[in-house]
Amino acid sequence: MAKIPIKKMRNFGIIAHIDSGKTTVSERVLYFTGKSHKIGEVHEGAATMDWMKEEQERGITITAAATSVQWRDYFLNLIDTPGHVDFTAEVERSCRVLDGAVVVFCSVGGVQAQSETVWRQADKYKVPRLVFVNKMDRTGADYFSVVDQIRERLQGTPVPIVYPVGAGDDLKGLIDLVHGRYVTFEGKNGEEQVEHPIPAEEEEEFQRLRTEMIEAIAQEDETLMEKYLETGDLTVDEIKAGIKYGVEHYLFQPVLTGSALKNIGVQLMLDAVVDYLPDPESVHNMNQFAMDDITLENPIPTKPDPEAPLRALVFKVMTTPHGELSFIRVYQGSLKTGDQVFCPNQQKKERASRLVKLHAMNQTAVDEVSAGDICAVVGLKFAATGETLAPESNQAILEGITFAEPVISMAIEPSSNADKEKLANALAKVEREDPTFKRWIDPETGQLIIAGMGELHLEVLQHRLLDDFKVEAVVGKPRVSYRESISKELQVRGKHVKQTGGSGQYGDCVLIVRPMTPEEVVATGKDFIFTSTIKGGVIPKEYFPAIQAGVKQELDRGFAAGYPVINVHVTVIDGSTHEVDSSEMAFRAAGALAMRNAFPDLGVQVLEPWMKVEAETPDEFTGPVIGSLNSKRAMITDTIARAGVTIVRGEVPLSEMFGYTTELRSLSQGRANFSMEPGEYKPVPNSMLEKIAKKA
């Protein structure tokens, strides 16, 4: 296979709230690019990209699926991501390696809870994006309302470049503002894109929106603005160049529309991907985030050069019926089948036994991948998600990926002793492939505990154990992952002195312990910071990790109710040593003692996770739905009336939301639905503290 020119590559993902039609859009991409000759429908359990049994049965995407297609003479790597909040890690890891994204919105639902999450994830990794307003064939579809919501709720800068003629059953076609044409999609599956002059009744709206589009583009480029002011117009090539510049520089988001289910507008979206989303070299030049070697004080810049030493990032590990696959994005250099590489994070040698391009679960072997490309590798044994591959002689570590902590846990045990080892092996594989899944042994009960992002996450895991790993397991009831935090600042000394004959133990440290600020939490993405202001060697530097380990040991143990203490900043400001008796063990004990001494005066609070909840209900059930949320300690923040339905937004403690799907269905004759995403940890009411402490 010949090397693909980097300028001809596009790496993009489809991200959205659940049920916006992402996978349906992906299926149409496969059909119109000739990758598949039959359209697979999600509602029939036949979507190509939803290959897992659980996905086909539930009609939702659970794991990010990758494929490679061609459009015009460009090579596109596409990742279809899940929309459900329980699988948000799939969006996180995909955003880390993508050069662009198409954000899909439902024309009726508009900006929903998970829409905000995926938008923030794209912002975090500086991913240029296009917007596709889907489902314009649905009753109540409102294109311009969605555009306004993107501006108001997401603080985006949407610029319509395509708008619909009609909506719902009256959807007739689309008007392309860039080329000045009216487009309809004809033939059996909309494969014939037919161009017409702008209809007379649309001329006024077309001119207004085209002027707004050109002004939005021109104001970002002095040359275009001068031309526009002189002539009052721009050529098609100038408009396209202006849109591309705006997308690559995160200045605005072009908005397209259509109905993937009715095969309307997908070809225009593919044209936009090729014309406006950046190639790997362009995005690299714009965005150095996460691309340079972070192991050195003077980072070595990464170059999207196929001839340079290899730098690749493992962004996903997946166990499949064909074995374990490691998905990689190559940032620099090339990787060939059979190459020996090195994982500097683990200091381990690896071998790329096979390189494959994926089409959902169908594999096509390739001999080589080069800078800018995405593929899967068979044969890696050590490199985990977020770790780097490089030559041993030219080691580099790229910025990794941060994931949310689990919010729900439950006990699990094998159905029989014969399954005990199989269960342990299966959970180890799941933990390797899913960074938001954790497992541990409860030290008090001896039970095996598993934790994840929600009820559905752990339910799907249980089914996977049976279907994929042939292990039967019994799980307990879900439990909320409470946390503790501090509200006061304190200076405290920890002095550990022990003399029992022979060499003794001496460790002495003075710490300032304080709550982390919200800005520190956001900036670092961590829940514990350890620093030192000591100068002059009062405590040798080699003892700092030991003090940190002792402090962390006590934070993880908890104080008020036995839950881990989070959002703590600890600074070592003083201490002393003994030239004979000081050791790492002694300073670890000193750090732990300091925290134990500090806890009673730090104002420790027990925290519980709150969720941002959005319920959509027919108008006649609004009262009962709001009443049910209020009974769960909800804080209702907004109610919006929209085309016969009411959207109720608020925040609710996670502990109150178990089994809410069933309750909501019974309240609304099965017609209401809801979604939720993690919000923040908030203090538990005093009336519940004793009950929670007993559970702990």
Side-chain angles (χ1 to χ4, degrees):
M1 179 178 173
K3 278 190 181 179
I4 301 167
I6 199 164
K7 289 290 185 185
K8 291 290 185 179
M9 290 184 196
R10 298 290 184 273
N11 298 314
F12 79 105
I14 296 182
I15 60 177
H17 180 88
I18 192 170
D19 204 29
S20 297
K22 294 179 307 306
T23 302
T24 304
V25 172
S26 297
E27 291 300 316
R28 282 6 183 225
V29 168
L30 299 182
Y31 178 73
F32 290 121
T33 58
K35 191 74 177 186
S36 61
H37 303 291
K38 177 180 179 295
I39 296 175
E41 300 292 9
V42 175
H43 57 271
E44 295 172 358
T48 307
M49 301 298 275
D50 286 348
W51 60 272
M52 289 174 65
K53 180 183 175 186
E54 283 289 306
E55 294 177 313
Q56 293 166 354
E57 290 178 354
R58 295 173 186 271
I60 62 170
T61 302
I62 290 171
T63 184
T67 191
S68 302
V69 298
Q70 275 185 260
W71 182 249
R72 296 177 1 206
D73 58 343
Y74 289 81
F75 296 83
L76 281 51
N77 289 314
L78 163 64
I79 298 180
D80 175 33
T81 66
H84 197 286
V85 63
D86 284 18
F87 310 105
T88 192
E90 297 292 319
V91 183
E92 187 82 17
R93 59 169 127 218
S94 299
C95 283
R96 168 63 181 81
V97 298
L98 292 172
D99 299 327
V102 175
V103 190
V104 179
F105 294 91
C106 170
S107 61
V108 180
V111 175
Q112 297 167 283
Q114 189 66 4
S115 309
E116 297 182 25
T117 303
V118 300
W119 194 270
R120 279 199 307 272
Q121 288 170 307
D123 281 341
K124 174 181 175 181
Y125 293 105
K126 287 191 172 180
V127 180
R129 69 211 75 152
L130 309 172
V131 169
F132 185 75
V133 179
N134 193 25
K135 301 190 176 184
M136 280 306 303
D137 59 305
R138 279 188 59 187
T139 303
D142 190 334
Y143 172 77
F144 292 104
S145 171
V146 178
V147 173
D148 290 340
Q149 290 172 52
I150 293 168
R151 187 177 295 111
E152 292 159 12
R153 285 192 65 183
L154 302 178
Q155 281 74 57
T157 310
V159 175
I161 62 171
V162 172
Y163 78 93
V165 176
D169 292 337
D170 294 327
L171 179 63
K172 299 180 179 68
L174 306 175
I175 289 187
D176 176 354
L177 295 168
V178 176
H179 296 89
R181 57 185 178 174
Y182 171 48
V183 183
T184 57
F185 300 86
E186 299 170 15
K188 183 183 175 184
N189 291 313
E191 58 272 6
E192 295 176 34
Q193 186 174 299
V194 183
E195 296 181 15
H196 314 268
I198 303 294
E201 63 273 17
E202 291 293 329
E203 185 64 38
E204 186 178 337
E205 180 78 338
F206 165 73
Q207 292 296 347
R208 180 182 72 82
L209 289 171
R210 190 169 188 274
T211 299
E212 288 180 3
M213 175 191 72
I214 291 175
E215 287 177 352
I217 294 165
Q219 71 180 3
E220 305 296 349
D221 186 307
E222 283 187 24
T223 306
L224 291 180
M225 180 57 81
E226 286 178 16
K227 167 81 185 297
Y228 178 59
L229 291 174
E230 283 176 17
T231 65
D233 202 359
L234 296 176
T235 67
V236 170
D237 287 344
E238 287 168 338
I239 291 171
K240 289 170 77 170
I243 294 173
K244 187 173 179 64
Y245 179 87
V247 171
E248 289 184 356
H249 290 75
Y250 323 109
L251 300 172
F252 52 74
Q253 302 83 35
V255 185
L256 300 97
T257 189
S259 166
L261 187 65
K262 301 294 185 183
N263 307 311
I264 294 174
V266 177
Q267 298 100 313
L268 291 180
M269 185 201 78
L270 281 167
D271 284 337
V273 167
V274 164
D275 291 336
Y276 308 132
L277 289 183
D279 61 80
E281 187 172 43
S282 299
V283 82
H284 180 95
N285 294 336
M286 282 305 306
N287 173 16
Q288 287 299 310
F289 175 81
M291 292 182 188
D292 290 346
D293 180 358
I294 62 169
T295 56
L296 304 174
E297 288 186 12
N298 299 307
I300 303 168
T302 301
K303 300 172 290 187
D305 176 4
E307 305 304 322
L310 175 71
R311 282 185 185 176
L313 186 83
V314 178
F315 67 93
K316 179 180 172 71
V317 177
M318 187 167 68
T319 303
T320 75
H322 311 295
E324 189 175 274
L325 293 175
S326 301
F327 290 72
I328 66 165
R329 162 70 192 261
V330 181
Y331 283 102
Q332 174 179 291
S334 299
L335 180 65
K336 296 178 181 176
T337 297
D339 277 358
Q340 181 175 291
V341 292
F342 194 73
C343 176
N345 308 78
Q346 307 248 10
Q347 289 296 296
K348 300 272 191 181
K349 293 179 181 179
E350 297 271 27
R351 185 170 296 281
S353 304
R354 270 196 316 133
L355 305 179
V356 295
K357 284 283 191 176
L358 287 176
H359 174 46
M361 267 305 93
N362 299 319
Q363 302 179 9
T364 303
V366 293
D367 298 326
E368 181 179 6
V369 286
S370 58
D373 210 349
I374 291 173
C375 80
V377 184
V378 180
L380 302 186
K381 296 178 180 177
F382 305 106
T385 297
E387 296 185 344
T388 305
L389 299 178
E392 189 172 5
S393 59
N394 199 312
Q395 294 182 35
I397 291 183
L398 302 172
E399 186 81 32
I401 312 171
T402 55
F403 296 98
E405 288 296 313
V407 296
I408 187 172
S409 63
M410 58 175 63
I412 186 170
E413 59 184 42
S415 297
S416 66
N417 281 332
D419 281 334
K420 197 168 184 178
E421 189 175 342
K422 285 169 66 179
L423 177 63
N425 292 336
L427 291 178
K429 287 182 178 179
V430 172
E431 190 172 31
R432 176 163 158 72
E433 68 178 65
D434 184 351
T436 59
F437 170 78
K438 307 290 182 191
R439 63 188 173 121
W440 67 88
I441 301 291
D442 188 310
E444 292 185 6
T445 65
Q447 285 182 302
L448 176 58
I449 306 296
I450 58 173
M453 297 305 294
E455 284 182 281
L456 181 60
H457 188 193
L458 294 183
E459 185 184 326
V460 166
L461 166 68
Q462 191 182 0
H463 288 192
R464 279 197 65 202
L465 289 174
L466 184 60
D467 295 337
D468 298 349
F469 300 105
K470 312 304 178 192
V471 181
E472 289 199 32
V474 179
V475 298
K477 289 185 177 179
R479 301 188 301 186
V480 175
S481 293
Y482 293 96
R483 293 288 185 268
E484 298 178 20
S485 193
I486 62 175
S487 57
K488 298 177 183 176
E489 182 173 322
L490 187 70
Q491 180 174 314
V492 64
R493 182 171 222 120
K495 192 167 185 177
H496 174 76
V497 182
K498 197 171 183 181
Q499 193 70 46
T500 54
S503 60
Q505 294 181 29
Y506 186 98
D508 175 27
C509 60
V510 180
L511 312 177
I512 289 180
V513 185
R514 66 169 176 82
M516 287 173 63
T517 65
E519 291 75 22
E520 284 177 320
V521 174
V522 172
T524 64
K526 298 177 181 177
D527 56 24
F528 172 57
I529 296 176
F530 184 87
T531 56
S532 168
T533 60
I534 287 181
K535 293 177 181 175
V538 179
I539 300 176
K541 282 185 178 180
E542 60 262 30
Y543 292 140
F544 290 164
I547 298 171
Q548 180 176 351
V551 169
K552 193 72 171 73
Q553 167 190 310
E554 293 304 311
L555 291 176
D556 290 344
R557 186 176 291 169
F559 175 71
Y563 292 102
V565 185
I566 62 170
N567 298 346
V568 178
H569 190 298
V570 175
T571 305
V572 187
I573 61 167
D574 200 1
S576 62
T577 59
H578 187 284
E579 59 184 27
V580 175
D581 293 347
S582 288
S583 65
E584 288 187 9
M585 185 169 66
F587 272 97
R588 179 175 181 134
L593 179 61
M595 281 311 304
R596 285 200 296 274
N597 292 339
F599 271 142
D601 300 312
L602 284 171
V604 178
Q605 301 172 312
V606 179
L607 308 176
E608 62 179 338
W610 280 57
M611 310 297 284
K612 292 180 181 178
V613 174
E614 186 170 286
E616 184 178 310
T617 174
D619 290 340
E620 61 263 39
F621 304 113
T622 302
V625 168
I626 290 177
S628 75
L629 289 172
N630 283 331
S631 72
K632 299 178 183 303
R633 299 190 281 137
M635 294 171 57
I636 305 296
T637 56
D638 206 3
T639 55
I640 300 169
R642 191 184 293 160
V645 300
T646 299
I647 296 168
V648 182
R649 296 186 183 126
E651 297 181 4
V652 191
L654 174 61
S655 59
E656 304 282 355
M657 294 302 289
F658 294 138
Y660 188 59
T661 301
T662 304
E663 182 180 337
L664 187 63
R665 283 175 182 159
S666 65
L667 282 172
S668 62
Q669 299 173 6
R671 295 165 62 195
N673 60 75
F674 83 102
S675 62
M676 61 183 185
E677 62 164 322
E680 58 184 329
Y681 276 90
K682 295 183 181 182
V684 168
N686 290 333
S687 59
M688 295 178 60
L689 279 177
E690 189 177 341
K691 183 179 174 185
I692 290 170
K694 277 183 181 176
K695 279 185 182 178

